[in-house]
Each structure stands twice: as C-alpha cells, then as structure tokens.
Amino acid sequence: MTENTNETTNFIKHIVKEDLAKEKHDQIITRFPPEPNGYLHIGHAKSIVLNFELAKEFNGKINLRFDDTNPLKEDQEFVDSIKEDIEWLGYEWTNLHFASNYFDEMYNQAVLLIKKGLAYVEDLSQEEIREYRGTLTEPGKESDSRSRSVEENLDLFEKMKNGEFANGEKVLRAKINMASPNINLRDPVIYRISHATHHNTGDTWCIYPMYSFAHPLEDAIEGVTHSICTLEFQDQRPLYDWVVENSEVEATPRQIEFARLNLTNTVLSKRKLKQLVDENLVDGWDDPRMPTISGLRRRGFTAESIKTFCREIGVAKADNLVDVRMLEHFIREDLKLKAPRTMSVLDPIKVVITNYPEGEVEWLDADVNPENPEMGMRKIPFSREIYIERNDFMEDPPKKYFRLFPGNEVRLKHAYFIKCNDVIKDEEGNVVELHCTYDPETKSGSGFTGRKVKGTLHFVEATNAVAAEFRLYNSLIEDEREGNDFLDFVNPNSLEITKGFVEPNMAEAKANDKFQFFRHGYFNVDPKHSTEDLLVFNRIVELKSSFKL
Ligand code: ATP
Ligand code: MG
C-alpha cells in the first residue's frame, strides 16, 4: 500500500495471511458495522482504518453495513453522517448493506432453529429470565417453556410476528445449555417484540432480532471472512459460532477481537456523547470539543492526521489507554509544512507609533512558511497604529520579562524595533493604549546589527486588520475531577471565546482553511459560525506540548 507508510504488522494481518496461505478463502471480506444511533467517533476511526486497510492490502472487499436492528434508536441523520465521515476519511466501501434488509432471512433462520428443536418461545418476563439465568458460580434453571413442542413454538413465534402479543410478553430463545459455564450460552434471547416503527422497514415488523443472533447471520449472509470486533465480544464468540453452525448458511465467518481505543480526557461512547448533545452541553455532534469525526473535522483535524494516529497506535489484544496528546501530535506534524503562517492578535491592545508618519502604510515582506519556502512570500502592512497582544505588555514587570514595558524595546515580527514611552489609561485605570516610537534603521531583513533585543512580538496593523473571533478549547472531559456520573467530569471552562484581529490577506479565508498563528497554534476556519462579516477560528492545538512520542 502506498498510502500506508507504516509497514508494521499486527496479529489480525497475521491471521489473514495464514488463512490466505491455507487457501481458506479466495478473497477476504471485512465489514464495518456501525449502528446508526449516533455519529462516529475516533474509536470508530480505529476500526474503520483497520477494516478498510486490511481489505485493501489483501485485495479483498469491505462492506459498510448499517447494523440497524433496533428500531428505537436509529435515524436517517446518523446513516447520512456515517457515510459522510467514512468518505471524508478517504475510504470507499465495496458494498453498502442494511442489516434490516435481512429481516426476512433472519426470521426464516429463527424458524429453522425452532424446527430443529434449537429455539423456543419463552413466557417468562425479562426479570424472571435474569433470575433463572444463574450466576458465574451457579448454573441456570430451565423454565417450563423450554419443553414446548416444535409445533407450539412455531405457532407462538408466528403470533409474535403477527403482533398478537405486547412488548415483553414473549421472546424467542436459543436452546443451548442452561448450565454452560459461559452465561452467554444459557439460552440467550434471540428475538424480542417491539411495536415500533423502523427507519427502513416501517411497520412491517414488530419483532426484532437481538444483536448476538443478528450479527453472525449478517456476516454469514454477506460472506464476511473476518469479522473484527472489540474485546467485549470475546465471551460472545461461542454464541457467534453456535449461530453460524446451527443456521442454514454457507459461509463461516470468523470473529476476531481487538482492543478498543480508549483516550485520556475523552468519552468514547455514543450513548454519553448523545447525552452531551441532547442536554445542550455542546454545540451539536460536530462541536469542535467532541471526539466525533465530524467534531474533529470542524476543529481542524485532517483525515490524514486521524488515519496516521490510528495506524500508529496499533492493534492489540489487551485494553489500553492512549494519551490524547498523541492525536494532537499528528495534526501538528501534518500541518507543520502545509499550513500558512500568519499573525493574529487574540486579545488586542492598540499601539500608536508616534514617530511614524500619519496616513502612511507600508507593505512588508514576510515568508508564508519558513519551513517550506515553496509556499512563497506574503505582504503585511505596517503603519502608525497596530494591535499587539494585551498580555505582551506589563506596566510593572517582574525580572527577566522581555516583552513590552515602559522604557523597554522589543522586535515586531517582520517589522521594526519599537520602544514603549507612554501608557494611556481610562478613568478606571485600565490600560487602553500604548505610545511607542519605532527605529526605521531596524527594519526586518535590512541586516541591522546595531543592538539586540530579547523579545519578539507579533502584531496586526490596525487600519487594514480583519476582525475575527477565536474559539480556544480545553478538554471537554477532565479525568482528574471527582464524581460518579460522567457529567461530573465535564469541564465548565472548555470553551473560551475572544475577539481580535487577523492580517488583511486572511479576508479571503474559506471554511476549513487551516493556519498557524504565530505563537498561538494551529487554527481552522469554523464552517458553521463564520459569516461574510466575521471569521471564526477554532484553535486545533497549541504549538507545543510537553508530550513526547
Ligand atoms: P459505542 O460504545 O460508542 O456506542 P459501539 O461499539 O456500540 O460504540 P457500533 O456502531 O456498534 O458502536 O460500532 C461499530 C464498530 O466500531 C464496531 O465494530 C465496534 O467494535 C467499533 N468500535 C466502536 N467503538 C470503538 C473503539 N473505542 N475502538 C475501536 N473500535 C470501536
Ligand atoms: Mg454497539
């Protein structure tokens, strides 16, 4: 594969290679099976990268399959967003499937199991079923329904299908072994009644297959060879195999489990992410603080940085926790040579250069990206009035403060040395303006060596400045907090909004354009909140991190 520069192997590739060497399959088929009950998150990206790149590397096929067997939680909005996110990541599926299109086939398979004496209709309530199930140390108890005749089971199951029972009144169970040491094999429920409208099949069905029955059948129907899932499903594998073995299907897909992605300071559960959205704690599923693919995209992460991250964290068999700063590392790496550098003032204070001619503007030369000279040069204005960062000035600084203070001289990036002479305050004593003088001899690029200054500040010329809003993010979730519910870990200060200025050449910036702002980090033009009149920038990451790979 050309795209994947990381040639590391993993245990799943190893299995695939072996299976192909033994000629178990002509071609492998993998699948990515999201349930359309939420937007995809970075954990899903790990599974997407794994499944799509496996299929590609071994010239196989990959199905995108919506696992839409639960009518209550699923929605077309989620179906659409999932497709969009996978395409944005740069992947193409071979076939698109909906598990709900297999409802007829699944029903027929359930009938076949009944006919074989391997499934029965249960009268016990959900709670009673749980009581009868036993524990890890005690075997389960067989219910009276277990000994029903095949005829009676067929009749009752058909009545379930025809809507003759209320939700929860009956279920269909696989007849396996109530004394199995694996609780999943103690006659698991495989069909339940739910009088609900389904986003795809409407009101055709009022019984729906359970995940552990539906999933192996979906895989088998599609001829999936390697069904890759996360470790929680390990204990379900014997049931997966039981379903494949006892149903009348041709293929024998193999379930392989790998460790799910866990990230520090991040929740990766659609249920919890949905709660954040539903309770308006964030600005939708694509809020730039969300670990969703759409949130990361709006924040400014590139598809390439997400994919590189997913490849680099590897595929293991044991659960682990990845530092979220590793993801940030890869976006810095990706943007370092690509993003134009520019100056922005996030919290401005005005500086008047008192010895600069009034009404005059000069255009200075600045490189677009000193690490990538091919990106060329840009022009930035300079005049009598400029903005600098409010926190680049102190009236009464401590020792070793090298930025601006009364009597001190600093360098303005790409421009001149300036010296602060006067501090203008309002009636309440707030600093509102600084009066400085510049030295024309010190122009950047002129080769001036007369004297040195220790501080370099960025600035934006005032009369040509473009107004902008900056959205600075902190972790939405803070692991360090105390609490029981995950909402206790939500950081109330995860978003800080400031208003300031950017260089005039930014006026043409478009949604999702990415820049490196001198000293402030990487920023993305927010596609949702930017308007004709106001650019809104999301900070993707700061420039530096204490994190080392
Ligand atoms: P969630 O717990 O967020 O709802 P899920 O597993 O229920 O996730 P699905 O839509 O069923 O969500 O997942 C689709 C695929 O993505 C599954 O194969 C699942 O194993 C995988 N997946 C989900 N979360 C992660 C994760 N954190 N790391 C790796 N793979 C994941
Ligand atoms: Mg799920």
Side-chain angles (χ1 to χ4, degrees):
M1 251 168 67
T2 49
E3 200 184 17
N4 187 351
T5 50
N6 169 27
E7 284 303 322
T8 56
T9 187
N10 61 52
F11 76 96
I12 298 179
K13 278 192 196 176
H14 200 76
I15 292 172
V16 168
K17 272 186 196 151
E18 251 178 29
D19 286 350
L20 287 172
K22 283 192 228 147
E23 297 184 356
K24 250 175 101 173
H25 321 283
D26 298 332
Q27 188 183 38
I28 67 158
I29 302 182
T30 61
R31 89 284 176 266
F32 176 66
E35 190 183 347
N37 60 352
Y39 280 58
L40 296 180
H41 54 62
I42 181 83
H44 294 113
K46 177 176 177 180
S47 174
I48 292 170
V49 170
L50 177 61
N51 280 293
F52 278 81
E53 297 195 351
L54 206 59
K56 195 168 172 194
E57 182 171 346
F58 294 98
N59 291 315
K61 290 183 180 160
I62 162 94
N63 295 340
L64 169 59
R65 180 207 307 145
F66 287 100
D67 209 334
D68 56 350
T69 54
N70 182 353
L72 292 179
K73 295 187 185 160
E74 297 156 4
D75 207 299
Q76 188 63 36
E77 177 194 354
F78 300 136
V79 170
D80 296 339
S81 74
I82 289 169
K83 287 194 206 162
E84 184 188 347
D85 288 348
I86 297 173
E87 282 172 343
W88 177 75
L89 282 172
Y91 294 117
E92 274 175 51
W93 48 87
T94 322
N95 292 300
L96 174 66
H97 295 297
F98 288 85
S100 55
N101 289 337
Y102 309 142
F103 281 162
D104 278 315
E105 166 100 35
M106 289 176 189
Y107 178 79
N108 292 338
Q109 293 292 346
V111 169
L112 281 172
L113 286 180
I114 294 174
K115 286 184 179 162
K116 289 182 182 174
L118 292 175
Y120 60 98
V121 174
E122 176 63 86
D123 298 339
L124 295 184
S125 67
Q126 204 181 346
E127 203 167 301
E128 288 165 324
I129 292 176
R130 202 177 308 126
E131 277 167 31
Y132 274 55
R133 192 174 287 140
T135 64
L136 284 173
T137 49
E138 278 171 49
K141 205 163 69 175
E142 297 186 358
S143 83
D144 292 343
S145 310
R146 201 174 202 267
S147 51
R148 282 206 159 107
S149 69
V150 167
E151 288 67 35
E152 198 186 347
N153 279 315
L154 287 173
D155 179 53
L156 285 171
F157 189 48
E158 194 172 337
K159 287 183 169 144
M160 278 172 68
K161 178 190 159 206
N162 292 339
E164 293 183 31
F165 301 112
N167 289 353
E169 210 179 323
K170 303 249 184 285
V171 290
L172 184 72
R173 298 177 76 171
K175 195 174 193 173
I176 309 181
N177 179 3
M178 286 307 291
S180 171
N182 183 338
I183 293 181
N184 294 299
L185 294 180
R186 293 184 191 168
D187 293 9
V189 174
I190 59 175
Y191 256 96
R192 70 201 160 96
I193 300 170
S194 176
H195 290 273
T197 305
H198 186 279
H199 79 106
N200 182 24
T201 57
D203 293 320
T204 310
W205 295 90
C206 65
I207 56 170
Y208 292 92
M210 301 299 287
Y211 179 86
S212 48
F213 177 64
H215 206 85
L217 287 179
E218 294 159 20
D219 286 340
I221 291 166
E222 293 174 15
V224 165
T225 55
H226 299 83
S227 173
I228 300 163
C229 64
T230 43
L231 280 181
E232 318 83 271
F233 293 98
Q234 202 156 14
D235 291 343
Q236 298 234 19
R237 193 183 338 130
L239 175 55
Y240 183 101
D241 291 341
W242 184 93
V243 172
V244 171
E245 196 178 316
N246 291 290
S247 303
E248 305 289 310
V249 287
E250 269 171 44
T252 46
R254 170 175 180 183
Q255 176 180 307
I256 304 168
E257 309 88 17
F258 73 105
R260 66 189 294 116
L261 171 67
N262 299 305
L263 270 184
T264 56
N265 291 318
T266 310
V267 290
L268 291 182
S269 145
K270 276 183 287 188
R271 187 178 57 76
K272 291 179 183 169
L273 295 174
K274 186 168 190 313
Q275 206 177 332
L276 292 171
V277 174
D278 290 346
E279 297 188 19
N280 287 317
L281 293 165
V282 292
D283 179 25
W285 283 96
D286 66 348
D287 184 298
R289 291 165 292 182
M290 292 280 272
T292 49
I293 310 269
S294 52
L296 292 167
R297 175 166 66 232
R298 201 175 135 199
R299 175 85 166 249
F301 282 81
T302 56
E304 209 42 55
S305 67
I306 292 173
K307 289 193 282 189
T308 309
F309 168 76
C310 290
R311 290 173 195 133
E312 293 291 328
I313 53 177
V315 179
K317 198 71 191 174
D319 269 319
N320 62 353
L321 180 65
V322 176
D323 196 315
V324 70
R325 291 176 299 175
M326 186 161 164
L327 177 61
E328 296 172 353
H329 166 85
F330 288 111
I331 185 63
R332 275 191 207 98
E333 285 294 302
D334 191 28
L335 293 182
K336 193 165 64 185
L337 300 182
K338 288 185 198 161
R341 309 227 176 149
T342 169
M343 296 196 285
S344 66
V345 176
L346 273 47
D347 179 17
I349 181 165
K350 191 175 263 185
V351 173
V352 179
I353 318 272
T354 52
N355 62 337
Y356 198 89
E358 228 160 306
E360 200 171 295
V361 178
E362 71 180 296
W363 292 82
L364 305 165
D365 293 313
D367 38 22
V368 174
N369 186 337
E371 290 188 63
N372 184 1
E374 281 180 14
M375 293 179 82
M377 303 294 287
R378 71 186 196 274
K379 290 277 187 194
I380 52 172
F382 187 76
S383 78
R384 188 179 160 87
E385 292 194 357
I386 64 169
Y387 295 110
I388 65 162
E389 217 61 72
R390 184 168 288 275
N391 68 7
D392 275 341
F393 170 79
M394 274 182 106
E395 194 170 11
D396 194 12
K399 274 197 184 126
K400 298 205 174 167
Y401 184 82
F402 301 123
R403 292 181 253 169
L404 204 58
F405 57 88
N408 190 41
E409 190 172 45
V410 296
R411 176 199 309 274
L412 291 176
K413 179 81 176 161
H414 301 304
Y416 299 95
F417 289 8
I418 57 166
K419 185 173 178 177
C420 178
N421 306 309
D422 278 310
V423 182
I424 315 298
K425 294 182 185 171
D426 64 11
E427 284 167 8
E428 277 132 47
N430 302 309
V431 178
V432 290
E433 206 171 274
L434 302 172
H435 286 186
C436 298
T437 44
Y438 86 118
D439 178 354
E441 301 279 297
T442 59
K443 187 171 177 174
S444 173
S446 68
F448 175 78
T449 52
R451 62 186 182 279
K452 288 201 165 115
V453 289
K454 285 205 164 136
T456 299
L457 309 188
H458 60 276
F459 72 97
V460 174
E461 192 271 330
T463 55
N464 291 280
V466 173
E469 178 177 304
F470 306 94
R471 297 181 172 220
L472 311 177
Y473 301 102
N474 293 305
S475 300
L476 180 60
I477 301 293
E478 291 187 319
D479 294 343
E480 308 72 31
R481 285 175 186 271
E482 300 206 353
N484 305 313
D485 186 75
F486 97 94
L487 291 179
D488 295 336
F489 295 85
V490 173
N491 175 9
N493 304 314
S494 55
L495 170 62
E496 187 191 335
I497 298 183
T498 75
K499 288 192 188 294
F501 299 99
V502 293
E503 292 178 23
N505 57 22
M506 305 282 288
E508 281 113 65
K510 295 183 302 296
N512 290 317
D513 280 352
K514 294 159 187 47
F515 299 92
Q516 188 195 110
F517 289 167
F518 188 66
R519 289 168 72 206
H520 288 306
Y522 291 98
F523 286 73
N524 186 48
V525 178
D526 188 286
K528 197 157 162 180
H529 295 302
S530 296
T531 63
E532 289 272 299
D533 303 318
L534 186 70
L535 284 168
V536 176
F537 290 94
N538 295 317
R539 176 147 67 192
I540 313 169
V541 275
E542 293 187 55
L543 286 180
K544 289 207 173 74
S545 154
S546 51
F547 178 74
K548 291 274 173 298
L549 257 199

